Every structure is written in C-alpha cells, then in structure tokens.
Amino acid sequence: MNKAMPIGISDYKELVQKDYYFVDKTLMIKDFLDYRKKVTLITRPRRFGKKIEYVNDGRIL
C-alpha cells in the first residue's frame, strides 16, 4: 500500500496517526558524531522542513 505524502502537515503526531510517508534521519546524527570530517555540508531546499523541526522540539520521536 502506498502512503500519502504529508503536504502541508507539520504535526508529527498526525503524521504517525494517519500513516503518512515520513523519513526519520535521526541516526545520521550518530554518523556525523562517529565519523567526524573537517567539513560537513548539510543542504536542504529553501523553507523545507523548518516547521516540522519546531513542532518536534521536545517530543520523543
């Protein structure tokens, strides 16, 4: 079954409850800490994902 894309949804609880498509990249933090490089460049499209970060602040994912 294909999951729907959560366009316009910024509430993590709603993403989980309604089974929307979500990519959890929290293990990337461990990789960055374990394999430190001189320079790490993390890019994202402008205005992409900012709202969801604020909503998740303080919640256990």
Side-chain angles (χ1 to χ4, degrees):
M1 183 170 137
N2 292 333
K3 293 186 176 192
M5 296 296 289
I7 298 170
I9 298 172
S10 59
D11 182 28
Y12 178 75
K13 187 175 180 180
E14 185 177 353
L15 289 173
V16 174
Q17 288 177 341
K18 295 186 178 177
D19 200 31
Y20 282 105
Y21 186 77
F22 179 76
V23 178
D24 184 4
K25 295 185 178 184
T26 53
L27 287 178
M28 287 179 63
I29 297 169
K30 183 181 182 314
D31 289 341
F32 288 134
L33 296 174
D34 290 344
Y35 307 105
R36 292 186 180 184
K37 306 283 182 180
K38 280 187 173 185
V39 175
T40 300
L41 176 64
I42 303 170
T43 63
R44 67 177 181 201
R46 200 171 135 221
R47 296 181 162 185
F48 181 80
K50 290 181 182 178
K51 176 80 173 176
I52 195 80
E53 291 173 13
Y54 293 122
V55 171
N56 287 338
D57 187 35
R59 294 187 185 175
I60 298 173
L61 300 179

